Amino acid sequence: GAGVSQSPSNKVTEKGKDVELRCDPISGHTALYWYRQSLGQGLEFLIYFQGNSAPDKSGLPSDRFSAERTGGSVSTLTIQRTQQEDSAVYLCASSPHGQGRNGYTFGSGTRLTVV
Amino acid sequence: SQQGEEDPQALSIQEGENATMNCSYKTSINNLQWYRQNSGRGLVHLILIRSNEREKHSGRLRVTLDTSKKSSSLLITASRAADTASYFCATDSSASKIIFGSGTRLSIRP
């Protein structure tokens, strides 16, 4: 596609439920990133995929968070047993290469609200 | 922990004035990038400056980088109402992700 697509754009879930967030990067971009942004805050790195390399999971806040990227394209971020502190905007970005050499293209994000 | 920190946290100026935002970081970098964010959603990449560059221009944007002071500045000249947004610096110091600062909220008064 022409841009990075994220779905859903908004998600309201009950505490304790699992949620799946989807990111469809720009075709041909080998690098894909997930960030989280709490209200009025900066972006918190979560996870990074680059080609067929093992993902950099160093930013995942707990073992309730996981992500996969199938076929080097679409990625799914899964949050199990959601908590209220998981409420945030989850942003996905992709770039043609790793190392951020050319800047990232971001999706519009998924606003997750845990009630 | 955040690598980049923007200063000021919030800035309000009159339309037509210049806006200057600063970013400081802690470790050596490969490059530094500036992004704009409207309405708390997706970020738009504005400009990238490499560690061996000192100044870069793009339209009304001017970015400087001082690696000895580990700081960068973003200047927006002749500001417009549409420039109202949050601005983030992001540093690339590894072979993988870039780290974002906490941002400067810029408001342009008509």
Side-chain angles (χ1 to χ4, degrees):
Chain A
V4 177
S5 177
Q6 290 188 247
S7 62
S9 56
N10 288 283
K11 176 72 176 178
V12 180
T13 189
E14 292 182 352
K15 179 181 173 181
K17 295 283 181 70
D18 297 351
V19 294
E20 282 190 356
L21 312 179
R22 177 188 168 105
C23 173
D24 199 344
I26 291 174
S27 178
H29 280 194
T30 60
L32 185 147
Y33 313 80
W34 283 97
Y35 287 84
R36 177 171 72 173
Q37 186 178 33
S38 300
L39 186 63
Q41 301 298 309
L43 276 71
E44 175 188 4
F45 167 76
L46 297 177
I47 189 168
Y48 160 61
F49 296 91
Q50 170 57 40
N52 296 320
S53 303
D56 177 352
K57 304 180 182 180
S58 61
L60 294 179
S62 77
D63 58 8
R64 296 187 295 105
F65 287 72
S66 63
E68 61 178 24
R69 187 178 185 192
T70 54
S73 180
V74 172
S75 177
T76 302
L77 177 68
T78 301
I79 309 173
Q80 296 178 312
R81 306 181 301 282
T82 52
Q83 304 294 314
Q84 288 186 328
E85 60 263 29
D86 299 335
S87 296
V89 175
Y90 289 81
L91 292 160
C92 175
S94 69
S95 68
H97 312 283
Q99 303 177 346
R101 293 199 297 247
N102 299 304
Y104 295 0
T105 302
F106 277 84
S108 297
T110 293
R111 186 179 301 279
L112 175 66
T113 303
V114 181
V115 298
Chain B
S1 63
Q2 298 290 352
Q3 160 76 317
E5 291 296 333
E6 288 89 343
D7 167 55
Q9 291 186 343
L11 178 63
S12 179
I13 61 171
Q14 202 74 31
E15 189 171 16
E17 293 180 339
N18 296 341
T20 300
M21 289 160 273
N22 302 296
C23 170
S24 60
Y25 57 92
K26 298 175 183 174
T27 64
S28 297
I29 61 172
N30 297 317
N31 64 61
L32 186 145
Q33 305 172 33
W34 284 90
Y35 289 79
R36 183 185 70 223
Q37 184 181 39
N38 294 89
S39 306
R41 285 303 187 108
L43 280 73
V44 174
H45 178 255
L46 296 176
I47 196 166
L48 180 152
I49 186 165
R50 303 190 191 285
S51 60
N52 61 353
E53 298 176 310
R54 291 297 167 259
E55 187 171 313
K56 204 163 183 179
H57 298 254
S58 176
R60 293 184 297 114
L61 305 180
R62 173 178 162 244
V63 169
T64 63
L65 178 64
D66 187 335
T67 53
S68 66
K69 295 181 180 178
K70 292 187 170 56
S71 67
S72 173
S73 67
L74 171 66
L75 168 67
I76 304 175
T77 60
S79 62
R80 305 167 181 170
D83 295 330
T84 294
S86 290
Y87 291 81
F88 295 88
C89 70
T91 52
D92 169 20
S93 58
S94 72
S96 57
K97 72 273 191 182
I98 61 175
I99 303 297
F100 286 83
S102 53
T104 292
R105 294 187 305 280
L106 176 64
S107 298
I108 308 299
R109 301 190 303 272

